[in-house]
Amino acid sequence: MLIKNILTQSPMSQDVEIYGWVRTKREMKNLVFVEVNDGSCFAGIQATFNEPDETLANEFASLTTGASVKITGKLVASPASGQAVEVAAVSLAVLGKAPAETDGDIPAYPLQKKRHSLEFLREIAHLRARTNTFGAVARLRSSMAFAIHRFFKERDFQYLHTPIITAGDCEGAGAMFQVTTLSAKEAGQWAKDFFGKQTFLTVSGQLEAETYAMALSRVYTFGPTFRAENSNTARHLAEFWMVEPEAAFADLKDNMDLAEEFLKYIIKSALEECADELAFFDTHVEKGIIESLGQTANAKFTHVTYTDAVRELEKNKSLFEFEPRWGCDLQSEHEKFLTEKIAGGPVIVTDYPKEIKAFYMKLNDDNKTVRAMDVLVPRLGEIIGGSQREDDYEKLCNRIKEAGMSPKDYSWYLDLRRYGTAPHAGFGLGFERLIQYISGMANIRDVIPYPRAAGQAGL
Ligand code: 4AD
Ligand code: MG
């Protein structure tokens, strides 16, 4: 039985078997306490050996932090504070040792200390899930992924699998990883390549999601996306997971409402389903995070146009490293200022200048701005980016050309505007940014099991 189930479901005096990894051992005269964790929940369980049998002496010797064990005994009320139950243990088997000292070729188990730096743990990513922090992050990720599917299922969005390998550049950003089987000598001879043309890892499933939204009305994708941006920041990865809903017969207002409802739903799920994990993050990672998430879950998000946001930032320009100016992208410091200082909560910024947004966004009547929306949150800045899509054939053709691309390459995408076009809108949520926001973890590399970022692709 998993420790989670023993702690929540087993009746007292029941005989139990526990399996897990030793966190700590304390030996006293005639008494040995072992704390075992199996990762099924935040808490571990204590096994107490009272006057242990001498035949167990060997086993106790190899019962060190990190060793895997099987312990049997009876579930009893615990006299110790901080735990309701413990196991009055009768048998012990060490299944796999984890030496505390270097032993021949095997270095000592690296997780000896109670607290290691996150930087150190990044170097042993294959073992870091055994720590409180990374165990909590992993369970939070799993729970949030499930909540995301539930949210969309409850609203009749169909889950769509969009391709990972693509020939198009969705964001027009040019920061893509190439996929090729050509040898170095054949480089550039795309006709000879595996697909007969140049291909890449996708930066977003959006364009393909649009084709299905224009048939099934409501769809969403949830998959890995790849960006070869060389930005070495605490919020960028080269491989990250994105959730992208797309709805037909929907405009920017519907899109903003969906994004707000979505974020609040996910945060409430975290507060309800990951209470132990959040209590840990609140104490050890970001003080007050539970209260601030509670506020976000109940707040009305502030709406502001890009133009008004820039006006507000200009009034405070002495505070910024990058001067805010109409036409320039908002920097992370600007986004944080808008959420933390002006709104005191999440902000949805809309109607950005067309020059700084992707070609597919619907042009406003002013011919200068597009129906874009970015959802910004305190501590992090942008967590969601989306828009109403251009549904007019001519206008979309022009935007493709203006972006230096060829309408021929997007003929399938343009077909959606040729045949049965309709207003439609969608957005993308960076899953790791969401986990950062909910956990308070400062670096995005610590909220994905195996981070891929510029110069970093080890296990
Ligand atoms: O704003 P972005 O680039 O929007 C799109 O890709 C659209 N196609 C989405 C859509 O409308 N369907 O990315 C969406 C979100 C960002 O708000 C951010 O949370 C996250 O994806 N994101 C990243 N997360 C981690 N590392 C990166 N390099 C990221 N780039 C974007
Ligand atoms: Mg964006």
Side-chain angles (χ1 to χ4, degrees):
M1 215 185 214
L2 291 171
I3 289 173
K4 174 185 181 171
N5 299 328
I6 293 176
L7 290 175
T8 54
Q9 293 163 16
S10 289
M12 283 302 170
S13 307
Q14 168 132 343
D15 285 329
V16 291
E17 279 181 355
I18 55 176
Y19 293 89
W21 293 269
V22 173
R23 283 291 175 84
T24 55
K25 175 183 68 169
R26 272 188 305 134
E27 278 182 278
M28 290 153 84
K29 204 168 172 243
N30 289 331
L31 212 52
V32 182
F33 298 106
V34 189
E35 173 80 16
V36 180
N37 185 289
D38 71 355
S40 61
C41 61
F42 191 84
I45 196 163
Q46 179 177 287
T48 306
F49 293 83
N50 202 345
E51 306 207 355
D53 198 319
E54 273 180 20
T55 57
L56 290 179
N58 264 348
E59 295 294 289
F60 280 124
S62 45
L63 194 70
T64 51
T65 297
S68 56
V69 290
K70 173 186 177 184
I71 295 174
T72 65
K74 230 183 233 332
L75 198 66
V76 296
S78 176
S81 67
Q83 57 190 19
V85 294
E86 62 180 51
V87 175
V90 293
S91 84
L92 162 70
V94 173
L95 306 177
K97 296 181 192 178
E101 313 284 341
T102 298
D103 180 8
D105 289 348
I106 306 176
Y109 181 60
L111 296 173
Q112 292 296 336
K113 279 193 304 184
K114 270 226 134 160
R115 298 212 77 173
H116 291 278
S117 75
L118 296 172
E119 290 77 14
F120 169 73
L121 293 172
R122 240 170 262 152
E123 286 167 20
I124 49 165
H126 59 299
L127 292 174
R128 66 179 180 169
R130 295 189 190 181
T131 63
N132 278 337
T133 307
F134 288 91
V137 167
R139 282 185 300 275
L140 178 67
R141 256 187 97 96
S142 170
S143 211
M144 295 303 91
F146 203 84
I148 285 166
H149 286 300
R150 205 172 52 227
F151 175 86
F152 287 119
K153 180 145 182 63
E154 286 170 1
R155 285 157 188 77
D156 295 311
F157 280 72
Q158 308 292 334
Y159 177 28
L160 174 72
H161 301 98
T162 47
I164 305 282
I165 298 175
T166 156
D169 177 359
C170 170
E171 294 307 298
M176 302 182 86
F177 290 102
Q178 208 162 282
V179 175
T180 179
T181 53
L182 292 177
S183 68
K185 266 200 266 152
E186 300 162 317
Q189 302 175 44
W190 307 123
K192 273 203 205 162
D193 204 352
F194 188 89
F195 296 104
K197 55 159 80 163
Q198 197 178 13
T199 52
F200 307 91
L201 294 177
T202 189
V203 294
S204 156
Q206 179 199 321
L207 302 194
E208 292 90 346
E210 281 186 54
T211 65
Y212 269 70
M214 296 299 279
L216 305 182
S217 294
R218 292 180 191 176
V219 299
Y220 71 103
T221 71
F222 186 0
T225 46
F226 307 86
R227 302 212 177 163
E229 298 162 282
N230 204 348
S231 43
N232 210 344
T233 78
R235 0 176 269 158
H236 288 89
L237 287 168
E239 176 179 306
F240 63 99
W241 287 67
M242 204 183 343
V243 182
E244 296 184 90
E246 190 72 32
F249 313 108
D251 61 13
L252 186 64
K253 163 96 177 41
D254 301 319
N255 208 28
M256 290 195 283
D257 290 348
L258 183 70
E260 180 168 340
E261 192 187 349
F262 175 56
L263 263 188
K264 288 177 172 174
Y265 179 100
I266 301 301
I267 289 167
K268 280 187 188 147
S269 302
L271 291 167
E272 282 164 21
E273 294 161 27
C274 299
D276 290 348
E277 284 74 17
L278 287 184
F280 171 81
F281 293 131
D282 200 305
T283 313
H284 295 288
V285 177
E286 175 78 32
K287 298 246 179 310
I289 195 159
I290 292 180
E291 195 189 332
S292 98
L293 290 174
Q295 282 164 359
T296 299
N298 294 303
K300 180 87 200 87
F301 290 10
T302 303
H303 293 185
V304 63
T305 63
Y306 168 90
T307 302
D308 287 347
V310 169
R311 211 168 280 144
E312 204 57 51
L313 293 168
E314 279 171 343
K315 285 189 211 153
N316 296 280
K317 67 174 169 219
S318 62
L319 299 175
F320 304 118
E321 184 187 340
F322 295 95
E323 194 180 325
R325 213 167 338 119
W326 201 96
C328 295
D329 225 345
L330 297 181
Q331 299 292 323
S332 168
E333 56 173 347
H334 303 146
E335 295 178 346
K336 283 191 189 158
F337 185 82
L338 290 172
T339 56
E340 290 167 16
K341 301 285 186 267
I342 306 264
V347 179
I348 309 186
V349 182
T350 60
D351 303 287
Y352 284 73
K354 64 176 179 179
E355 287 79 10
I356 57 173
K357 287 293 182 189
F359 70 92
Y360 51 70
M361 296 189 181
K362 186 166 178 66
L363 196 59
N364 277 318
D365 293 340
D366 63 10
N367 265 327
K368 288 198 293 206
T369 58
V370 287
R371 270 175 218 170
M373 59 165 219
D374 276 7
V375 182
L376 317 178
V377 290
R379 289 188 276 116
L380 204 65
E382 180 188 342
I383 192 165
I384 284 178
S387 69
Q388 185 171 338
R389 318 306 187 190
E390 184 55 80
D391 51 23
D392 180 278
Y393 180 85
E394 291 301 330
K395 285 185 185 161
L396 184 59
C397 257
N398 286 339
R399 293 276 285 138
I400 290 175
K401 286 185 211 147
E402 272 172 26
M405 302 182 299
S406 158
K408 218 168 76 239
D409 292 339
Y410 289 88
S411 63
W412 59 275
Y413 187 66
L414 284 160
D415 268 359
L416 300 178
R417 284 76 181 164
R418 265 195 203 107
Y419 311 124
T421 192
H424 61 289
F427 61 81
L429 165 86
F431 187 55
E432 285 72 23
R433 297 238 179 125
L434 174 78
I435 303 299
Q436 269 192 290
Y437 180 60
I438 295 178
S439 65
M441 295 293 285
N443 195 316
I444 197 163
R445 290 162 207 221
D446 296 330
V447 296
I448 187 164
Y450 295 102
R452 272 86 179 91
Q456 186 184 23
L459 180 68

